[in-house]
Amino acid sequence: MIEYKAFEMHSHTFHSDGTFSVESLCQACKVRELDGVALTDHNTMSGWEEITPALEEQTLPVIRGIEWTTFYGHMLVIGADRYVDWRLATPENIDRFTEAISAANGAVGIAHPFSLGSPFCTGCHWEFRVKEWKNIHYVEVWSGPFPLFEPYNEPGFQMWTDLLNQGHRLAASCGIDWHENDLEENHHMPVTCLGVENGEVSTRTAREALRAGRVYVTGGPALDFQIEQSGKRHGLGAAVNSGAATLLWGVDQTARTSQWNSFGLIPRRVAFIQNGGEVLSIELSGQEKEKGQTAYELWPGWIRLELYGDYQGRADQLLGFTSPIYVEKD
Ligand SMILES: [Zn+2]
Ligand SMILES: [Zn+2]
């Protein structure tokens, strides 16, 4: 049984360039009603030593990660069983390294692919020339403290969509890239939701969710998207056949409500995007928990759900989106 839990998937402490201690990071995440946080310091795992059962008991589970920080791009590595050295990676040989991480059961994500590079942030812009996309599991398409407004997130989102259209299978995440607790308490913080087995939040279940594509991003309500075909239900990251199917969707506004409902975030409609184009839009009635189903003829490629509505005075803004369900030729 898969259950979705809310995470911050990109954070730093004083073990790299953050001002948080591991404990203060965990406290800050608990205040924001998260179910887990990924600790992803730059090129170091030294913070992991501070993750103790007592700390996790008092605050929340911590996912063991690292942010590869190179001249050619930043890469999130979540839950690898062994350390893969980043220092010899170049734009041309990156596949060898992602393959090694993937073989060690790690989940690999491209961090903030279009953030400004040098001289603003050396290596922040993604320049690795990936040939083997199967070893990259997700793209951080919403990044930074204000991901819904960050201009560099638009090309990141488009890059993800283009990769899907080329036939690659990749999930998408959000990361505040949290370095210090300078976010006011009423700062709006979108989250990455991971579908973990039996609701268990751990490094293992988080990396498995990322690798399997059981991932969605939301600025507000909890989202649900499944496809029913031949009497069987398939969730995010799964593959179904082309042809007749039923799209099942849900929007739950009772999830972490106090964390987003004071930001002028009002969900208005869900849209289905197949192979990059919007194929269906369903108006919401505004109920706290809403769900529906629609018969739909699928063709090969991929399909995801997007949530639109008002945000801070602007209409029809993207408020959340799922990773795809893939459609194979029947
Ligand atoms: Zn970075
Ligand atoms: Zn970072």
Side-chain angles (χ1 to χ4, degrees), residues 10 42 67 74 112 177:
H10 188 158
H42 298 287
E67 183 176 14
H74 292 191
H112 48 67
D177 205 351

Side-chain angles (χ1 to χ4, degrees), residues 212-285:
R214 295 191 300 264
V215 188
Y216 71 83
V217 170
T218 181
L223 303 177
D224 184 25
F225 174 36
Q226 297 179 63
I227 291 178
E228 195 171 83
Q229 202 169 45
S230 312
K232 222 183 137 198
R233 284 193 181 187
H234 308 267
L236 302 181
V240 299
N241 293 321
S242 56
T246 305
L247 310 181
L248 306 157
W249 59 269
V251 175
D252 179 357
Q253 300 200 41
T254 65
R256 296 179 67 254
T257 315
S258 64
Q259 298 297 322
W260 55 266
N261 74 346
S262 58
F263 296 94
L265 190 158
I266 306 166
R268 300 283 189 196
R269 66 183 182 100
V270 290
F272 293 92
I273 311 297
Q274 196 174 6
N275 301 352
E278 186 178 308
V279 290
L280 200 61
S281 176
I282 297 164
E283 299 297 317
L284 298 171
S285 69

Side-chain angles (χ1 to χ4, degrees), residues 33 48 138 147 166 177 200 218 275 277:
E33 299 177 63
W48 296 7
Y138 67 105
Q166 289 160 26
D177 205 351
E200 181 202 325
T218 181
N275 301 352

Side-chain angles (χ1 to χ4, degrees), residues 10-12 17 40 42 67 69 74 76 111-112 177-179:
H10 188 158
S11 69
H12 299 275
D17 62 348
T40 55
H42 298 287
E67 183 176 14
T69 308
H74 292 191
L76 297 162
H112 48 67
D177 205 351
W178 213 358
H179 283 74

